[in-house]
Amino acid sequence: MEFFEPVLNGFGVVLEPTNLLYCLLGVVIGMLIGVLPGLGPAATIAILLPLTYGIEPVTAIIMLSGIFYGAQYGGTITSVLLRLPGEASSVVTVFDGYALTKQGRAGTALGIAAIGSFVGGTVAIIGLTFLAPLVAGFALDFGPPEYTALALLGILLVATVSNGGRLKSLIAAAIGLLLATVGRDGFTGESRFTLGSLSLADGLDFVPIAMGIFGLGEILYNLEERHNKVQAPAKVANVWPSRKDLKQASGSIGRGSVLGFFLGILPGGGATLSSLAAYAMEKKRAKDPSRFGRGAIEGVAGPETANNAAATSSFIPLLTLGIPANATMAIIFGALLIQGVTPGPQLVQNDPELFWGVVNSMYIGNILLLIMSIPLVGIFVRILRVRPAILAPVTVLITLIGVYTINNSIFDIWLVIFFGIVGYLMKKFGFEPGPLVLAFVLGALLEESLRRSLLLFGGDATQFAGRPITAVLLFVFILVILLPFLQKALRHRGTRDELLTNDHKESV
């Protein structure tokens, strides 16, 4: 009964008219952003951060969460109708979704995606409800050494599991850690990398960096990449799938829910990796893998279920450990800090209304997504006809006005422009911006925890291994570093054995 009381109180928080309205608003904005290729939830949440200042913390996070999981379904629409993924997590949906569209079954693909998204999201929310308090209780035993190891592991996983090349992701993460050291040293008060500027004395603010790299940077990159001509979307009919389609997709939806939930918890996992893994799993399990890419309904159901499940479960490490699992979670982490809320093990106990209000809002948000996704397809198709050249200037103006209103600072506008150029160049040369922002967010935690740990250990770093949780996390850290080398050695050995076998056969 003690467990269910705060959960039920959380539903009371969500059902307040203001919170319901912002939940609806977040889901609708998320779907719209998913439909418009290029911008993405991370950029949108970064741009909207200034608007959350005058809102209650729980209301603000409910809206931002709705944008995140709403965008996962929105990206499906362009993948299916235009062969153009609106979201990175919808890339694999293109293969079979567009093939179904060419067969005149676009409605079926969108209907299956909507149902899979709802089931995956709901399964992940149930898992979040029961697992998050357990993780938070376990994390109460964490001290500075444990947080040091966890932050190190989080940064490494994000860098190595990122969509970009491993080396480029590690470079981006290193730059993020360097940016986190700008400003006064928290222990000695010495200025670091401030270039004599008083504006940098308190360090770099998270909001201009996020709004620059994800907002302005994405806009500049997409203006260059996208043509002004917009392809005419296919017509959509018979949106509700047949009983045969539902039966065929049911296994994929079940497997995608479980896979997405667990991959979403891992730092660096998230919706994109989950959708790729789900597609690979469905293709491997299929009796006839050649169907995939030609209109297999499982190729839409599995990935779309997995990416929504992962989007929801990625809130577990954020809310219970204070560790963002991906770039969007890093921005929501920043939003919580701006609102005066510190994510971590104490959040469940100290602010149960916010914790359970946000968790339970996802139940409502998923129902709203299912109700709206199918009837609103026609409106989203019309939105696809709006040229990026019209939307981009408006978005840039909103971004610059938004960042100025935070501190009424022209310096912040220059920072947004600078990091916008940095974000554009990163995308241009194949660097993933996510590791940079995550490393910047975790950099302060890493530095403070590491220095506190060394003070605790009297400067003896070997004592890290003497704490069981820290030792396990550091072991996983070393394993992740060594894994690529082990894989390469095994591949080399396999190739050598194959050559020796072939030589033996030829000699016989």
Side-chain angles (χ1 to χ4, degrees), residues 39-50 52-53 60-61 64-65 67-68 205-216 218 314-315 318 322-339 341 343 433-442:
L39 198 55
T44 306
I45 293 171
I47 290 167
L48 293 177
L49 277 179
T52 64
Y53 283 15
I61 305 306
L64 297 181
S65 304
I67 292 172
F68 182 38
D205 194 11
F206 171 78
V207 177
I209 293 176
M211 292 178 79
I213 288 179
F214 287 107
L216 195 56
E218 291 281 347
S314 59
F315 280 87
L318 173 72
I323 301 290
N326 51 57
T328 309
M329 288 295 105
I331 297 170
I332 294 178
F333 179 89
L336 284 163
L337 293 179
I338 288 166
Q339 292 281 352
V341 177
L436 186 153
V437 175
L438 275 157
F440 175 78
V441 168
L442 293 175

Side-chain angles (χ1 to χ4, degrees), residues 38-39 42-44 46-47 172 175-176 179 204-222 327 331 399 415-427 431-438 440:
L39 198 55
T44 306
I47 290 167
I175 294 170
L179 292 173
L204 289 165
D205 194 11
F206 171 78
V207 177
I209 293 176
M211 292 178 79
I213 288 179
F214 287 107
L216 195 56
E218 291 281 347
I219 293 163
L220 292 173
Y221 179 75
N222 286 301
I331 297 170
T399 302
L415 276 180
V416 169
I417 294 169
F418 172 75
F419 282 108
I421 295 168
V422 170
Y424 162 75
L425 292 174
M426 288 181 74
K427 295 282 286 186
F431 286 83
E432 193 68 25
L436 186 153
V437 175
L438 275 157
F440 175 78

Side-chain angles (χ1 to χ4, degrees), residues 407-488:
N407 298 317
N408 295 328
S409 170
I410 297 294
F411 182 76
D412 285 351
I413 292 179
W414 286 114
L415 276 180
V416 169
I417 294 169
F418 172 75
F419 282 108
I421 295 168
V422 170
Y424 162 75
L425 292 174
M426 288 181 74
K427 295 282 286 186
K428 181 83 173 171
F429 293 104
F431 286 83
E432 193 68 25
L436 186 153
V437 175
L438 275 157
F440 175 78
V441 168
L442 293 175
L445 172 67
L446 175 62
E447 182 185 12
E448 185 180 349
S449 300
L450 177 60
R451 294 173 75 173
R452 286 184 185 279
S453 300
L454 291 173
L455 286 171
L456 187 68
F457 298 148
D460 183 7
T462 59
Q463 291 192 38
F464 276 100
R467 298 172 71 103
I469 298 173
T470 309
V472 171
L473 291 171
L474 290 175
F475 174 75
V476 176
F477 177 83
I478 294 166
L479 197 64
V480 172
I481 292 175
L482 295 178
L483 194 60
F485 300 103
L486 293 172
Q487 288 174 335
K488 189 176 180 181

Side-chain angles (χ1 to χ4, degrees), residues 6 132-134 136-137 319-320 344-353 355-356:
L134 294 176
L319 295 176
T320 59
Q346 300 288 346
L347 184 63
V348 183
Q349 294 179 359
N350 295 348
D351 204 343
E353 285 195 359
F355 181 86
W356 291 112

Side-chain angles (χ1 to χ4, degrees), residues 486-502:
L486 293 172
Q487 288 174 335
K488 189 176 180 181
L490 288 171
R491 280 197 299 268
H492 179 72
R493 184 178 177 180
T495 306
R496 188 184 65 183
D497 291 346
E498 189 178 341
L499 288 171
L500 289 171
T501 305
N502 291 337

